[in-house]
Amino acid sequence: MKWLPWIVFAVFGFYLVGNNFNAKLGMIDDHEIAMFLGSDGKVSVDEFPKEILKTEIGQWGSYLRYRPSYYTLRVLETALWRDDARLWYLSRYLMLVVSMVLGYQIMIMYFPQIVSYLFILYIMTMPFWPDMLTRLGPSEMYALPAVLLFVYGLIKNKLWMITVGYLICVGSKENFLILLPILLGWAGFKAYIKKLSKKELI
């Protein structure tokens, strides 16, 4: 039943955020989308780097924050979804489902299946989720699946998962720099037991 977690969390995720598919883009909250789209309503391939450079990425040292992954993904999504709010919220729904499945996969390595399901369902009762799941701007939405991918990659020793998860997390929200000592600890342990490869070192 390897598909069961996907079905369970897809249904549960739709229960949580299904109403989002009827939402529209907001003039205040989603102003960056309109800014990236411009007067022609799209982001072409040649416009992509220009739009990226308008953000914190191209203004190094001018802002208090620096989130290269967040704005790269944000402009990429704008190029893909344009001003179609349903596609924007669909992407958030898929990120949520993937995150819950990854969380479940991590849990079942250490706990029974029923406990793992109940834990994920319980976690979703926390009061901060509505702010993340009903808006398009929060960078935490990118970091959520990424941090779980990072943890899963550490457990399974999958370098690409560790790398992608780490870069998206740290480049989306500065708080995730807390992952750096974890990464260094993992690398230090592998070096100590003489199993740190050149790829991993890089």
Side-chain angles (χ1 to χ4, degrees):
M1 296 292 290
K2 64 180 181 179
W3 288 103
L4 184 60
W6 288 97
I7 295 170
V8 169
F9 293 123
V11 172
F12 183 59
F14 188 80
Y15 168 75
L16 292 176
V17 300
N19 285 337
N20 283 358
F21 296 128
N22 298 318
K24 305 295 182 184
L25 296 181
M27 289 301 293
I28 297 175
D29 286 345
D30 305 322
H31 68 280
E32 284 183 335
I33 297 172
M35 180 186 74
F36 294 142
L37 287 173
S39 57
D40 61 353
K42 63 181 181 179
V43 179
S44 61
V45 175
D46 61 310
E47 288 177 322
F48 191 86
K50 297 175 187 175
E51 297 302 326
I52 289 284
L53 292 175
K54 288 180 184 177
T55 69
E56 295 167 10
I57 298 175
Q59 306 296 321
W60 172 264
S62 300
Y63 292 91
L64 294 175
R65 312 184 70 183
Y66 191 69
R67 297 166 293 175
S69 301
Y70 170 71
Y71 275 109
T72 299
L73 293 170
R74 190 100 167 125
V75 175
L76 178 60
E77 281 200 284
T78 304
L80 293 172
W81 318 140
R82 298 190 181 184
D83 61 352
D84 191 330
R86 286 192 178 187
L87 292 177
W88 278 94
Y89 282 109
L90 175 62
S91 71
R92 298 304 181 274
Y93 165 72
L94 294 175
M95 288 182 215
L96 174 62
V97 173
V98 168
S99 299
M100 290 192 288
V101 171
L102 276 172
Y104 171 79
Q105 294 296 336
I106 293 168
M107 289 291 297
I108 60 172
M109 296 180 201
Y110 307 101
F111 301 99
Q113 287 184 335
I114 187 63
V115 173
S116 301
Y117 276 117
L118 291 174
F119 180 79
I120 300 300
L121 299 180
Y122 169 72
I123 284 292
M124 296 309 299
T125 67
M126 300 297 180
F128 52 79
W129 290 113
D131 192 50
M132 283 177 54
L133 300 177
T134 60
R135 296 167 58 219
L136 299 176
S139 57
E140 289 88 349
M141 204 60 229
Y142 294 128
L144 176 61
V147 72
L148 291 165
L149 187 69
F150 174 81
V151 172
Y152 188 77
L154 284 178
I155 295 170
K156 291 292 189 177
N157 200 36
K158 300 288 186 182
L159 185 59
W160 75 267
M161 292 183 179
I162 296 170
T163 305
V164 171
Y166 181 82
L167 291 177
I168 291 177
C169 281
V170 174
S172 294
K173 195 165 180 69
E174 303 87 332
N175 303 24
F176 284 97
L177 278 171
I178 197 171
L179 298 180
L180 179 59
I182 297 173
L183 185 64
L184 294 176
W186 171 81
F189 175 74
K190 295 204 75 174
Y192 177 74
I193 61 175
K194 298 181 179 179
K195 288 190 176 179
L196 186 68
S197 69
K198 289 182 180 178
K199 275 187 180 181
E200 290 167 340
L201 181 61
I202 292 170

